[in-house]
Amino acid sequence: MADPKEPESGAVELGTSNATVPTGTMSTRRLRSEDYNDYSSTDVTPEGSPPDGMNGFAHPESYQRFGETNGTTWYQTLIHLLKGNIGTGLLGLPLAVKNAGILLGPLSLLVMGIVAVHCMGILVKCAHHFCNRFQKQFVDYGGAVMYGLEATPSACLRTHAIWGRRIVGLFLIITQLGFCCVYFVFLADNLKQVVSAANGTTNDCSSNRTVVMTPTMDSRLYMLSILPFVVLLSFIQNLKVLSIFSMLANVAMLVSLVVIYQYIVRDIPDPRNLPLAAAWKTYPLFFGTAIFAFEGIGVVLPLENKMKKPRQFPVILYVGMSIVTILYISLGVLGYLRFGADIQASITLNLPNCWLYQAVKLLFSIGIFFTYAVQFYVPAEIIIPPLVARVSERWGWLINLLLRVALVCVTCVLAILIPRLDLVISLVGSISSSALALIFPPLLEIATYYSEGMHPLVIVKDIAISLFGFVGFVVGTYEALLELVSPAATVVNATTVLVQ
């Protein structure tokens, strides 16, 4: 996940919010009037439909800009696309590669990257189709699904088309709150490890140094300790203020990633003992983690919508997602090669307990802490405004704060109930990310173009992708829940510190 969808600087939060609002225009108006001007790109071919094709995009010359001209440049869009797809899921990919195998893992990541970017292209193509058909400046994810259902031959689907928007909004809320649950577990695990090794932390970063760990409180208590600070952070409702925290988070995580890479490329042991393909029962856990990392489809339409020259977006999408896929595969493979069977749920937990790498853990934790506010903004803007509108203005501010406290507490409680980082990531990925990234877009393409005539191979391709996502959804969720109820004896606890 795909994780940070940041506000202000690239309008990513706006797009995600627009893509998730199922309850009317309240939160959308608030977003647009506060900080943004709305931009769109549409296809204006006379036929009213973008050309079909496996790449899923209209011809570049068919784009037309509506609105003002101070949109984002190709470089800014590329940076925001990278930010929207790189987050905590990246740190769990070495364990995901272990669950798939040193050969099957990277091959599967490559295939999932290709399929994910193709589904992003499908979503953009369908959105362009409906923008042109209904003469709209912008159609979000939920709106595209709703219009797609209205275009189907089935009278039942046309009658209940509004549920398409609501279902997409529900899954986007689940995804964002799921990210927040992951952040609680990540923060607790890393802080616990730093505190446990505090007395033995030195300047010696040699990999063969043994550190005596000091007993400390359970990771669940760390989550409760963090809770008040996260609640205070959630009270920030201004996008401009959140953009500052988002920038700090991006810098902290970028520095941390550079340090992590320079460590794992050194002293890689002999990889011949690593299995080429892992046991089939662990592959669903790989699927959940991988699709969690690739779930950046929510930022695609808003980024394209904000571009100064949207005809450049297809190239930017392919280049950006190629970089993301290479980053995912490289960190996943190198991390597994470096730590082997001892790899933990987050690669930061495998770093040595010297001051340099303890600082990296704290730095990344700070970045994740700030990112919580950015991710929380989206579901808060969807859920809270309609509820606040039901009470008098006198009590609106109090209800607003109480609802924010309640939502943060829900994410904390869920994290406490599932305190294993690898299982939280796999569950969120299997349940919600698979639906948004793999299941919905191909079905949307069929619903949109079936009445106009589609090549049978395109229909077969779309059905195959959706079935793949649905199987991953069912099996990944089942295996993650089974592992949660009765963990295998070979599983290393996510908060256990490995001696390097």
Side-chain angles (χ1 to χ4, degrees):
M1 148 132 301
D3 278 331
K5 283 121 177 134
E6 65 174 353
E8 182 61 17
S9 58
V12 179
E13 280 297 326
L14 167 64
T16 309
S17 294
N18 283 348
T20 56
V21 178
T23 55
T25 59
M26 176 178 295
S27 59
T28 305
R29 280 199 303 268
R30 178 175 179 178
L31 284 167
R32 289 179 178 174
S33 62
E34 183 176 354
D35 290 293
Y36 297 100
N37 297 308
D38 191 32
Y39 297 90
S40 298
S41 62
T42 64
D43 185 340
V44 291
T45 54
E47 294 77 14
S49 173
D52 289 329
M54 295 301 287
N55 65 350
F57 288 103
H59 190 276
E61 296 304 321
S62 65
Y63 287 92
Q64 178 173 326
R65 167 64 60 205
F66 291 90
E68 300 181 26
T69 58
N70 59 341
T72 56
T73 64
W74 70 267
Y75 175 76
Q76 292 171 323
T77 304
L78 177 62
I79 294 299
H80 296 316
L81 181 65
L82 295 177
K83 291 176 183 177
N85 284 275
I86 297 175
T88 51
L90 173 65
L91 302 179
L93 287 177
L95 180 61
V97 172
K98 175 190 173 183
N99 287 330
I102 192 61
L103 177 62
L104 183 59
L107 289 178
S108 299
L109 282 174
L110 178 61
V111 171
M112 291 187 71
I114 294 173
V115 174
V117 97
H118 175 66
C119 289
M120 292 176 183
I122 289 175
L123 179 61
V124 173
K125 181 180 72 170
C126 292
H128 289 168
H129 175 82
F130 292 119
C131 280
N132 178 71
R133 180 176 177 180
F134 298 110
Q135 294 299 302
K136 289 181 172 290
Q137 291 187 345
F138 177 62
V139 173
D140 58 33
Y141 196 161
V145 172
M146 181 182 69
Y147 292 136
L149 293 177
E150 290 177 349
T152 60
S154 171
C156 179
L157 291 178
R158 292 197 302 270
T159 302
H160 299 90
I162 186 61
W163 281 99
R165 174 184 288 277
R166 292 170 180 169
I167 291 173
V168 170
L170 175 63
F171 275 99
L172 281 163
I173 290 174
I174 294 174
T175 300
Q176 297 299 122
L177 293 181
F179 290 160
C180 294
C181 294
V182 169
Y183 295 163
F184 263 110
V185 182
F186 179 89
L187 289 170
D189 284 352
N190 282 271
L191 290 178
K192 179 180 179 180
Q193 191 182 81
V194 170
V195 173
S196 298
N199 292 334
T201 302
T202 68
N203 293 325
D204 183 6
C205 291
S206 58
S207 60
N208 59 354
R209 182 177 178 275
T210 301
V211 174
V212 178
M213 308 303 294
T214 303
T216 184
M217 60 184 179
D218 188 87
S219 61
R220 297 174 180 88
L221 296 178
Y222 277 95
M223 296 181 201
L224 290 176
S225 302
I226 298 167
L227 179 59
F229 301 99
V230 178
V231 168
L232 292 176
L233 189 66
S234 70
F235 289 164
I236 300 175
Q237 303 175 47
N238 187 287
L239 283 172
K240 293 181 178 179
V241 176
L242 284 179
S243 69
I244 298 175
F245 288 112
S246 180
M247 181 187 65
L248 293 175
N250 291 330
V251 172
M253 290 189 284
L254 177 61
V255 172
S256 300
L257 277 177
V258 172
V259 178
I260 291 172
Y261 263 101
Q262 66 83 29
Y263 178 76
I264 62 177
V265 296
R266 297 180 293 163
D267 303 323
I268 295 178
D270 189 349
R272 285 179 291 184
N273 294 328
L274 300 178
L276 296 180
W280 68 270
K281 284 187 69 67
T282 60
Y283 191 83
L285 298 178
F286 161 84
F287 173 87
T289 304
I291 198 61
F292 177 91
F294 273 112
E295 202 287 294
I297 196 168
V299 306
V300 171
L301 287 180
L303 284 180
E304 186 269 349
N305 179 50
K306 284 289 178 179
M307 284 196 68
K308 186 181 299 183
K309 297 180 180 179
R311 63 179 178 273
Q312 299 174 338
F313 185 74
V315 176
I316 293 171
L317 180 61
Y318 285 127
V319 171
M321 292 307 297
S322 297
I323 295 173
V324 168
T325 303
I326 292 172
L327 183 64
Y328 284 177
I329 295 175
S330 63
L331 186 66
V333 172
L334 290 174
Y336 183 38
L337 288 174
R338 178 65 178 82
F339 300 110
D342 293 331
I343 189 66
Q344 295 203 53
S346 170
I347 195 173
T348 56
L349 300 174
N350 286 95
L351 298 176
N353 292 302
C354 65
W355 287 114
L356 173 62
Y357 297 107
Q358 295 290 69
V360 167
K361 298 170 191 175
L362 290 175
L363 194 61
F364 216 104
S365 296
I366 292 172
I368 293 300
F369 175 75
F370 288 145
T371 304
Y372 185 102
V374 179
Q375 297 288 0
F376 181 80
Y377 183 90
V378 179
E381 282 298 303
I382 297 170
I383 297 172
I384 294 176
L387 298 177
V388 171
R390 295 175 180 268
V391 301
S392 64
E393 187 175 349
R394 176 184 178 185
W395 299 103
W397 67 274
L398 179 60
I399 299 300
N400 183 4
L401 297 183
L402 290 177
L403 288 173
R404 289 176 179 274
V405 172
L407 284 176
V408 173
C409 289
V410 166
T411 61
C412 182
V413 169
L414 291 175
I416 289 174
L417 294 175
I418 313 175
R420 278 184 52 186
L421 182 61
D422 55 334
L423 293 187
V424 177
I425 291 176
S426 186
L427 271 176
V428 175
S430 298
I431 292 174
S432 58
S433 299
S434 60
L436 293 172
L438 298 178
I439 299 176
F440 292 162
L443 296 180
L444 172 61
E445 184 176 37
I446 295 176
T448 302
Y449 296 109
Y450 184 80
S451 298
E452 302 177 12
M454 296 180 66
H455 195 284
L457 289 180
V458 177
I459 298 177
V460 171
K461 177 263 301 179
D462 287 342
I463 293 175
I465 293 176
S466 289
L467 284 178
F468 171 68
F470 182 75
V471 171
F473 168 84
V474 174
V475 179
T477 302
Y478 172 78
E479 287 296 332
L481 291 175
L482 184 65
E483 184 66 24
L484 179 66
V485 175
S486 54
T490 56
V491 173
V492 179
N493 187 285
T495 59
T496 301
V497 180
L498 299 177
V499 178
Q500 302 302 324

